[in-house]
């Protein structure tokens, strides 16, 4: 792999599975088949806290337990506070439901004209094409349907979804999600992407996937060919902590980028995982080095049993403020709250604006210094003596902002 800067992205290797032949380890089918899905399997690999044990016992009624061997290797088994561990190993807190929490925290159910197709914004749809993921995030917004552990009984209906999109010329943007769309076979993805591409009014197609993070082995040359064939396909991956930025993820991102897939990242602000300025700064820098542009930072949705994950919104603002102006602009994600009950994603920004009147706007910069920009023009009085002709413009003064 020629260009990826992996200077301090550790190659994970096979860790606990060092006996497994490399060809199997690198086969995504093997990774899926050998996922850790039961308390007994977890017990055989590590010692769980009581809180985790209680969480695992409950998981089958809420959101299934599944961790790929690749991702399991990222867990620090000696540290109950490991930020990777908290994302995928259930804890007792999942069983405690608070009054502000909801099964459908962002109100997707009332904007589904067809099962699995959320049409909230006039020009774009969220198309849920599977309920399965390679591993399950304990704070998942869609735990009501993802993994089918609850009574939801979700059966994605691509045909109805595709027909709806075909019949609605206002839909110019289709976001494939789930579950994780990249768990579908290359053949199925080829079919769905081909159908979407054939719809004249669909201008923009994107995929939301955590597969590069949980199962980088799935990003095969064959899959990349499918994405290239129907490109441009944009992709949002989901990385929460710098520890997830391994050489394997870097290589998967490189394969996707070289297939012409622009990459963004969506992180969820999680207490005890990434609600920290230094952790976030490290994460966004590593993402840029892997050609991934930080896109959104989400305030954790009010999903049932998520109180132990939710960080203070003021912490999110502090993180954004510590990034904006202090590092590369490309590295700064937009912090959003997906409005509870369903109002869409709303940007939550630190306050730079101090005052705006008909005369001026007063604001502070990243260092806290105050500046003024006038909103009225005050012409200079006409000169008495004739002025010298203007000098020719020097290079670089054309006003172009690059
Ligand atoms: C997030 C989301 C989208 C995409 O929103 P963007 O801000 O364009 O990334 C579309 N539909 C639904 C229902 C969503 O939740
Ligand atoms: S990968 Fe996405 S859909 Fe799947 S469990 Fe995680 S957050 Fe939910």
């Amino acid at each position: 792999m020629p260009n990826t800067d992996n200077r301090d992205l550790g190659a994970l290797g096979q860790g606990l599975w060092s006996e497994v032949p490399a060809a199997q380890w690198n086969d995504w089918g093997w990774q899926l088949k050998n996922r850790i899905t039961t308390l007994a399997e977890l017990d055989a690999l590590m010692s769980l806290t009581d809180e985790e044990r209680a969480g695992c016992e409950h998981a089958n009624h809420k959101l299934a337990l599944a961790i790929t061997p690749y991702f399991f290797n990222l867990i620090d088994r000696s540290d109950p506070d490991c930020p990777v561990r908290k994302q995928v190993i259930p804890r007792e807190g999942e069983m405690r439901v608070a009054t502000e929490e909801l099964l459908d925290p962002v109100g997707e159910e009332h904007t589904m004209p067809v099962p699995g197709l959320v049409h909230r914004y006039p020009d774009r749809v969220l198309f849920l094409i599977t309920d399965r993921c390679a591993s399950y995030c304990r704070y998942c917004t869609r735990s009501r349907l993802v993994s089918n552990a609850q009574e939801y009984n979700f059966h994605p209906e691509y045909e109805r979804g595709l027909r709806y999109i075909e019949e609605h010329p206002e839909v110019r943007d289709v976001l494939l999600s789930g579950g994780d769309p990249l768990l579908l076979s290359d053949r199925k993805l080829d079919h769905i992407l081909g159908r979407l591409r054939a719809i004249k009014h669909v201008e923009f197609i994107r995929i939301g996937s955590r597969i590069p993070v949980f199962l980088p082995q799935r990003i095969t040359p064959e899959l990349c060919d499918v994405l290239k064939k129907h490109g441009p396909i944009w992709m949002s991956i989901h990385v929460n902590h710098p520890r997830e930025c391994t050489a394997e993820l870097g290589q998967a991102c490189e394969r996707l980028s070289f297939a012409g897939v622009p990459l963004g990242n969506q992180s969820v602000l999680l207490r005890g995982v990434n609600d920290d300025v230094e952790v976030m700064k490290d994460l966004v820098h590593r993402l840029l080095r892997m050609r991934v542009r930080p896109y959104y930072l989400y305030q954790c949705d009010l999903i049932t049993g998520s109180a132990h994950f939710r960080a203070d919104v003021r912490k999110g603002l502090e993180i954004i403020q510590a990034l904006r102006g202090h590092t590369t602009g490309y590295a700064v994600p937009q912090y959003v709250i997906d409005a509870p009950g369903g109002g869409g994603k709303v940007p939550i920004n630190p306050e730079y604006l101090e005052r705006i009147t008909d005369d001026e706007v007063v604001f502070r910069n990243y260092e806290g210094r105050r500046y003024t920009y006038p909103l009225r023009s005050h012409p200079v009085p006409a000169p008495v003596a004739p002025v010298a002709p203007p000098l020719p413009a020097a290079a670089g003064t054309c006003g172009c902002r690059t």
Side-chain angles (χ1 to χ4, degrees):
M1 288 290 150
N3 294 329
T4 297
D5 177 359
N6 282 336
R7 269 171 307 185
D8 53 5
L9 304 180
L12 265 184
Q14 297 185 202
L16 287 174
W17 287 266
S18 59
E19 306 294 311
V20 173
Q24 281 185 10
W25 177 260
N26 293 321
D27 170 11
W28 64 281
W30 184 91
Q31 289 281 339
L32 284 179
K33 232 180 280 147
N34 288 278
R35 287 184 300 180
I36 294 119
T37 57
T38 64
L39 175 57
E41 286 169 309
L42 265 185
D43 265 334
L45 294 166
M46 65 190 286
S47 78
L48 295 168
T49 64
D50 292 343
E51 214 193 336
E52 288 170 329
R53 182 174 303 281
C56 290
E57 278 160 3
H58 183 72
N60 285 340
H61 306 289
K62 184 178 184 253
L63 174 69
L65 161 68
I67 311 170
T68 55
Y70 160 81
F71 199 72
F72 186 85
N73 272 339
L74 285 175
I75 292 174
D76 181 345
R77 286 173 291 135
S78 63
D79 177 12
D81 286 325
C82 166
V84 177
R85 178 165 173 164
K86 286 180 176 165
Q87 293 181 55
V88 289
I89 296 188
R91 281 179 291 163
E92 200 176 9
E94 288 181 24
M95 299 149 66
R96 285 193 289 268
V97 178
T99 54
E100 70 279 11
E101 294 175 342
L102 301 159
L103 267 178
D104 176 21
V106 296
E108 293 177 334
E109 297 293 335
H110 0 255
T111 44
M112 275 201 198
V114 166
L117 192 105
V118 186
H119 195 175
R120 166 176 304 133
Y121 300 104
D123 72 329
R124 52 207 193 279
V125 293
L126 170 67
F127 192 4
L128 310 177
I129 58 173
T130 172
D131 66 321
R132 301 292 139 137
C133 299
S135 303
Y136 293 106
C137 313
R138 306 318 307 173
Y139 50 84
C140 179
T141 299
R142 289 192 202 108
S143 18
R144 70 182 185 286
L145 61 89
V146 159
S147 92
N148 242 341
Q150 302 185 18
E151 317 272 273
Y152 191 96
N153 227 353
F154 178 56
H155 299 287
E157 299 186 46
Y158 323 120
E159 275 310 317
R160 282 185 70 191
L162 288 167
R163 240 176 297 131
Y164 179 90
I165 298 167
E166 280 163 355
E167 287 161 7
H168 286 80
E170 70 275 21
V171 176
R172 45 162 287 284
D173 170 354
V174 177
L175 163 51
L176 297 177
S177 183
D180 203 313
L182 297 187
L183 275 191
L184 300 191
S185 66
D186 292 350
R187 204 175 45 80
K188 231 174 213 164
L189 284 169
D190 187 26
H191 171 75
I192 294 172
L193 293 174
R195 286 282 300 274
L196 289 173
R197 252 317 154 224
I199 305 173
K200 285 221 172 54
H201 54 267
V202 173
E203 299 169 359
F204 190 72
I205 303 176
R206 47 178 160 169
I207 296 176
S209 173
R210 209 177 184 190
I211 286 276
V213 177
F214 284 144
L215 185 64
Q217 296 80 5
R218 170 69 182 103
I219 311 302
T220 59
E222 294 74 23
L223 172 65
C224 291
D225 286 345
V226 170
L227 299 173
K228 195 171 184 174
K229 173 175 162 195
H230 300 289
I233 306 290
W234 290 55
M235 191 179 291
S236 291
I237 66 170
H238 171 177
V239 189
N240 289 325
H241 190 276
R243 192 186 289 209
E244 295 157 49
C245 299
T246 60
E248 286 86 340
L249 174 61
Q251 284 156 15
C253 290
E254 182 155 296
R255 289 194 289 275
L256 289 167
S257 286
F258 287 10
V261 178
L263 296 171
N265 183 60
Q266 319 197 76
S267 294
V268 182
L269 185 67
L270 297 170
R271 202 199 318 157
V273 172
N274 58 10
D275 60 337
D276 177 274
V277 168
E278 288 315 309
V279 168
M280 270 298 181
K281 201 176 242 184
D282 187 13
L283 173 64
V284 294
H285 288 166
R286 283 170 189 254
L287 288 168
L288 287 191
R289 286 163 52 194
M290 299 191 300
R291 300 180 174 80
V292 182
R293 159 82 157 101
Y295 179 43
Y296 281 139
L297 171 63
Y298 290 99
Q299 177 62 19
C300 186
D301 291 325
L302 298 170
I303 188 70
T304 50
S306 65
H308 59 300
F309 271 125
R310 283 187 260 130
D312 193 315
V313 171
R314 283 163 293 195
K315 182 49 100 171
L317 287 170
E318 181 194 329
I319 290 170
I320 298 302
Q321 198 156 12
L323 295 175
R324 173 61 66 201
H326 295 275
T327 186
T328 314
Y330 276 118
V332 187
Q334 174 64 57
Y335 182 35
V336 291
I337 300 183
D338 212 334
K345 299 174 182 74
V346 179
I348 304 295
N349 295 315
E351 199 53 86
Y352 294 97
L353 191 62
E354 213 162 80
R355 173 156 52 83
I356 181 158
T357 65
D358 287 343
D359 291 320
E360 60 183 17
V361 47
V362 180
F363 47 87
R364 289 182 183 274
N365 78 343
Y366 73 105
E367 300 159 306
R369 277 194 242 167
R370 185 186 287 120
Y371 294 85
T372 300
Y373 181 95
L375 294 181
R376 276 190 207 281
S377 186
H378 303 281
V380 176
V384 184
V387 255
L391 294 168
T397 59
C398 60
C400 153
R401 305 296 301 264
T402 48

